[in-house]
């Protein structure tokens, strides 16, 4: 009630001021219209805020530069200074794809570009090329138009306009890896593509597996060309792409196959980059991701020439194959905000020499950095909960025998892999926190393994097809244990099972697809249940003991018969 009275008082105050101004001979329009006193006072206040923000960036840059004795300041160094002076989380510093930096103030959404200490407010991205376009397409209410030719009207929520540059080009070809088809292009007119409007660039295509099932607008041209049409498609001839302010999302396949694309500008209003969005844009080198981007879809930048990329802290997931086969990629900055790096995300990025995984990342999926043959330095955070299989296979780090200890590869407190010819007995070194998926898989001569109490996570299939797992004497009632750790169960176990007393942890996917398992009893010694541990079982009800403090993701996913679950307060 008090809050409401305050609101009424404020309204009354504003009304009183307006009445007094009118009585003083000031017209109502002069007070309230777009150029009135109130509007101008708002503009003046906004200008003052911008000036204050600009000064804070300048001072932070100077402070960072002094610490480096005048050397160029990096995004990380400027971010550290701003976190200290303005407050953590108040700003986001990224690179612009060149030698300049960008600072976004989260509360006001004001953007500033920083070039060697010179700070200027970033200008919005707009269409500066008029109406002399050659062809266009529109997207309104979720529907793409047919091709619109020069001289016709192009009106819609989102409008894509193709302008001839006056140059002639012969675009590079590319190989569609899923099918092996090679596509080449003849000489033709070069284009600049400008996408303007308000709202998303809708999906340009859909697919089932590797088969494209539908295509729209300019991507329909590309698909028809790939299927043997004699008329060529326009996207390979686009050298510059401008995505204007107001665009919120880039749809699936939007600019796939733009093999001539060299210059890309994406407005900061874009929050999503869809699947396959820039796939096979084989000449695209410089990409500056918007500060508010939230999602990078799978295959988004696969097979491009990107050299450096900064993933802003607004992104939580880097999709499957997102940067796969970007062989020119030499610098990757993953901001603190990303939680998951998905399958094959950076596979075969052969130019990458180092990578730092921030504290926010808890999940790295299989083959994420596979075949990054130049990768010698990997710094993991202390917060990873899941490491997929073969995350670092065939990297320079993996291939250096000096990084292996007794035929086992560690990074900090994480056990990544083991040599397949490992034999006899092994002891995981004390202090290890996590054993990756498939780490000892197919070590057919491994007869015994000792796991220290420091281990808090064991990945799926970590000991699959080892001599230890093949020895029936190591199984108890259809369940495989290693010391205090429950590793896995046979898929054909049925009815009720009791986890043996003294068990500390149930590994990831331990009972996966045990469809006839209807009941499980766990002793109070169990403190943690791994990811997908009971996924797709036949459990009907379960009581989690008070000793358990952690239940991982998807633990009971697909348990269609589960009607009751009791979770104690001890679980966090």
């Amino acid at each position: 009630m008090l809050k409401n009275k305050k609101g009424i008082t404020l309204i009354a105050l504003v009304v009183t001021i307006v009445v007094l101004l009118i009585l003083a001979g000031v017209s109502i329009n002069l007070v309230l219209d777009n150029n009135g006193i109130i509007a101008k006072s708002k503009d003046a206040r906004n200008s003052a805020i911008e000036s204050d923000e600009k000064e804070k960036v300048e001072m932070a840059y100077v402070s960072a530069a002094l610490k480096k004795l005048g050397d160029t300041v990096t995004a990380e160094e400027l971010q550290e200074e701003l976190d200290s002076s303005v407050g953590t989380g108040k700003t986001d510093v990224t690179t612009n794809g060149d030698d300049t930096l960008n600072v976004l103030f989260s509360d006001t959404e004001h953007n500033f570009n920083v070039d060697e200490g010179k700070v200027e407010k970033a200008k919005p991205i707009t269409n500066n090329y008029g109406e002399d376009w050659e062809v266009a397409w529109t997207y309104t209410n979720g529907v793409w138009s047919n091709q619109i030719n020069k001289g016709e009207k192009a009106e819609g929520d989102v409008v894509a306009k193709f302008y001839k540059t006056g140059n002639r080009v012969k675009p590079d070809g590319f190989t569609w890896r899923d099918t092996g088809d090679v596509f080449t292009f003849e000489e033709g007119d070069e284009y600049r593509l400008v996408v303007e409007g308000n709202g998303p660039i809708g999906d340009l295509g859909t697919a089932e597996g590797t088969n494209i099932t539908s295509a729209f607008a300019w991507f329909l041209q590309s698909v028809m060309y790939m299927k043997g049409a004699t008329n060529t498609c326009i996207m390979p001839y686009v050298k510059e792409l401008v995505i204007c302010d107001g665009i919120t999302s880039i749809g699936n396949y939007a600019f796939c196959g733009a093999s001539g694309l060299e210059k890309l500008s994406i407005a900061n209003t874009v929050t999503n980059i869809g699947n396959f969005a820039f796939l096979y844009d084989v000449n695209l080198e410089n990409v500056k991701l918007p500060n508010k981007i939230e999602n990078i879809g799978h295959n988004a930048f696969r097979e491009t020439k990107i050299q450096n990329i900064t993933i802003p802290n607004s992104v939580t997931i880097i999709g499957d194959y997102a940067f796969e086969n970007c062989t020119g990629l030499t610098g990757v900055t993953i901001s603190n905000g990303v939680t998951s790096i998905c399958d094959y995300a950076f596979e075969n990025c052969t130019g990458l020499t180092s990578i730092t995984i921030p504290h926010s990342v808890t999940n790295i999926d299989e083959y994420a950095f596979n075949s990054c043959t130049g990768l010698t330095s990997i710094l993991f955070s202390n917060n990873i909960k899941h490491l997929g299989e073969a995350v670092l296979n065939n990297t320079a780090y993996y291939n250096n025998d000096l990084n292996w200890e007794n035929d086992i590869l560690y990074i900090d407190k994480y056990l990544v892999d083991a040599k397949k010819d490992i034999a006899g007995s092994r002891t995981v070194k004390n202090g290890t926190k996590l054993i990756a998926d498939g780490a000892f898989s197919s070590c057919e001569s491994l007869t015994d393994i000792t796991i220290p109490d420091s281990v808090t996570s064991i990945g799926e299939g970590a000991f699959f097809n080892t001599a230890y797992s093949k020895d029936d004497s190591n199984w108890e009632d259809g369940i495989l244990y290693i010391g205090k750790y429950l590793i896995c169960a046979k898929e054909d176990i049925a009815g009720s099972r009791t986890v043996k007393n003294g068990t500390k942890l149930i590994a990831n996917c331990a009972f996966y697809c045990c469809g006839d398992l209807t009941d499980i009893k766990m002793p109070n010694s169990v403190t943690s249940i791994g990811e997908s541990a009971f996924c797709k079982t036949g459990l009907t009800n379960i009581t989690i003991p008070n000793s358990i403090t952690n239940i991982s993701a998807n633990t009971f996913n697909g348990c269609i018969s589960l009607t009751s679950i009791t979770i104690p307060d001890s679980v966090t």
Side-chain angles (χ1 to χ4, degrees):
M1 195 67 182
L2 180 61
K3 184 178 179 181
N4 195 34
K5 285 181 179 179
K6 285 183 177 179
I8 294 171
T9 303
L10 180 59
I11 293 169
L13 178 60
V14 172
V15 171
T16 301
I17 292 171
V18 171
V19 169
L20 289 172
L21 288 169
I22 292 171
L23 290 174
V26 179
S27 73
I28 191 72
N29 286 337
L30 190 57
V31 175
L32 298 178
D33 73 8
N34 291 335
N35 292 310
I37 294 171
I38 292 178
K40 287 181 178 178
S41 66
K42 288 180 179 178
D43 290 342
R45 180 177 180 275
N46 191 53
S47 180
I49 292 172
E50 287 181 2
S51 296
D52 180 60
E53 291 172 338
K54 180 181 177 182
E55 184 178 350
K56 287 175 179 176
V57 175
E58 290 170 338
M59 292 177 66
Y61 190 94
V62 169
S63 178
L66 287 172
K67 291 179 181 179
K68 297 190 70 177
L69 300 177
D71 287 349
T72 301
V73 174
T74 66
E76 293 78 13
E77 290 161 347
L78 182 56
Q79 184 71 72
E80 184 178 347
E81 290 296 329
L82 285 167
D83 285 347
S84 176
S85 60
V86 179
T88 303
K90 296 292 186 180
T91 60
D92 182 27
V93 183
T94 56
T95 61
N96 283 323
D98 48 24
D99 293 329
T100 65
L101 305 177
N102 181 270
V103 179
L104 172 70
F105 282 81
S106 55
D107 289 341
T108 62
E109 297 190 358
H110 292 159
N111 261 292
F112 296 88
N113 288 325
V114 185
D115 185 1
E116 293 292 337
K118 183 180 179 182
V119 181
E120 292 183 349
K121 191 171 187 296
K123 296 178 181 178
I125 297 175
T126 57
N127 185 354
N128 299 317
Y129 300 100
E131 294 300 318
D132 191 23
W133 44 266
E134 193 69 19
V135 293
W137 282 267
T138 64
Y139 184 75
T140 302
N141 296 325
V143 178
W144 281 104
S145 71
N146 294 323
Q147 179 175 310
I148 302 168
N149 296 315
K150 187 173 184 176
E152 300 175 343
K153 279 190 175 182
E155 296 177 345
D157 295 339
V158 171
V159 183
K161 299 174 179 178
F162 291 76
Y163 298 82
K164 284 185 178 180
T165 66
N167 299 323
R168 297 280 291 177
V169 291
K170 187 179 186 301
D172 288 340
F174 59 86
T175 301
W176 196 276
R177 198 174 64 185
D178 294 333
T179 62
D181 293 329
V182 178
F183 300 102
T184 58
F185 308 97
E186 299 300 322
E187 183 179 297
D189 290 315
E190 182 184 85
Y191 287 89
R192 175 186 295 111
L193 171 55
V194 180
V195 186
E196 60 184 0
N198 291 286
I201 300 171
D203 292 343
L204 273 291
T206 60
E208 292 181 3
T210 59
N211 296 317
I212 295 171
T213 54
S214 64
F216 313 100
W218 57 88
F219 186 58
L220 177 59
Q221 287 185 352
S222 299
V223 172
M224 295 300 291
Y225 182 75
M226 288 188 288
K227 291 183 178 294
T230 56
N231 292 335
T232 191
C233 46
I234 199 169
M235 278 311 296
Y237 298 87
V238 173
K239 185 175 183 178
E240 180 181 1
L241 170 60
V242 179
I243 301 173
C244 299
D245 276 69
I247 301 299
T248 58
S249 177
I250 298 171
N252 298 343
Y253 294 98
F255 308 109
C256 172
S259 60
L261 182 62
E262 296 180 4
K263 186 176 181 181
L264 171 64
S265 301
I266 308 176
N268 275 321
T269 52
V270 173
T271 60
N272 173 70
I273 296 176
N275 305 331
F276 308 99
F278 296 94
L279 173 66
Y280 298 127
D281 293 3
V282 294
N283 281 297
L284 181 60
E285 293 185 357
N286 296 312
V287 174
K288 197 270 181 183
L289 294 176
N291 284 326
K292 297 198 295 183
I293 197 80
E294 296 172 0
N295 177 66
I296 301 172
H298 65 76
N299 294 272
F301 292 98
R302 197 180 101 192
E303 309 270 356
T304 63
K305 276 188 179 178
I306 290 177
Q307 297 177 345
N308 289 278
I309 194 73
T310 296
I311 313 295
N313 60 17
S314 52
V315 173
T316 56
I317 296 174
I318 302 173
D320 299 345
Y321 302 92
F323 298 95
E324 190 211 19
N325 211 32
C326 294
T327 56
L329 186 62
T330 58
V332 175
T333 301
I334 302 175
S335 299
N336 202 41
V338 174
T339 60
S340 186
I341 302 171
C342 295
D343 300 343
Y344 302 88
F346 294 96
E347 184 185 43
N348 203 39
C349 292
T350 55
L352 195 61
T353 58
S354 65
I355 190 75
T356 298
I357 307 298
H359 185 73
S360 59
V361 173
T362 58
N363 176 71
I364 303 177
D365 284 331
E366 63 180 11
Y367 296 92
F369 297 96
N370 178 54
S371 291
C372 293
T373 53
L375 188 59
T376 58
S377 174
I378 305 108
L379 181 61
F380 280 177
S381 75
N382 201 34
N383 202 35
I384 295 173
K385 303 294 191 297
H386 171 252
L387 270 180
E389 185 174 1
V391 164
L392 296 172
N393 274 23
N394 197 31
T395 61
Y397 186 92
Y398 183 96
N399 294 331
N400 186 346
D401 289 339
L402 296 176
N403 293 323
W404 293 74
E405 301 179 35
N406 200 20
D407 296 324
I408 297 173
L409 182 67
Y410 298 92
I411 293 182
D412 298 325
K413 297 179 180 180
Y414 304 99
L415 192 159
V416 178
D417 205 355
K419 301 276 190 184
K420 297 310 172 190
D421 59 358
I422 197 170
S425 176
R426 287 295 187 278
T427 297
V428 175
K429 73 177 182 180
N430 198 35
T432 300
K433 288 181 59 177
L434 178 149
I435 299 174
D437 291 356
F440 293 91
S441 176
S442 296
C443 294
E444 296 184 1
S445 299
L446 180 66
T447 57
D448 191 31
I449 189 82
T450 301
I451 303 175
D453 285 345
S454 58
V455 171
T456 58
S457 178
I458 297 178
E460 177 184 2
F463 300 95
F464 174 74
N465 199 30
T466 60
Y468 183 90
S469 67
K470 291 178 179 179
D471 186 343
D472 290 340
S473 67
N474 293 322
W475 293 76
E476 300 180 33
D477 202 18
I479 298 174
L480 179 68
Y481 296 91
I482 298 177
K484 299 177 182 180
Y485 297 89
L486 190 159
I487 304 302
C488 62
K490 294 183 177 180
E491 282 190 16
D492 60 357
I493 64 171
S496 178
R497 287 294 189 277
T498 298
V499 176
K500 76 174 183 179
N501 196 35
T503 299
K504 173 185 174 182
L505 178 145
I506 298 174
N508 296 354
C509 300
F511 293 89
Y512 183 82
C513 279
C514 294
D516 294 323
L517 178 68
T518 57
D519 181 53
I520 191 80
K521 293 179 175 62
M522 290 176 278
N524 280 323
S525 58
V526 176
T527 58
S528 183
I529 301 175
E531 182 178 318
S532 302
F534 295 99
C535 180
K536 296 185 179 180
T537 61
L539 292 174
T540 56
N541 61 79
I542 188 168
T543 298
I544 308 297
N546 290 324
S547 57
I548 289 182
T549 58
N550 177 66
I551 300 175
S552 300
N554 302 310
T555 297
F556 301 102
N557 185 41
C559 296
I560 58 177
S561 300
L562 187 61
T563 58
S564 173
I565 181 168
T566 302
I567 301 176
D569 293 338
S570 58
V571 174
T572 56

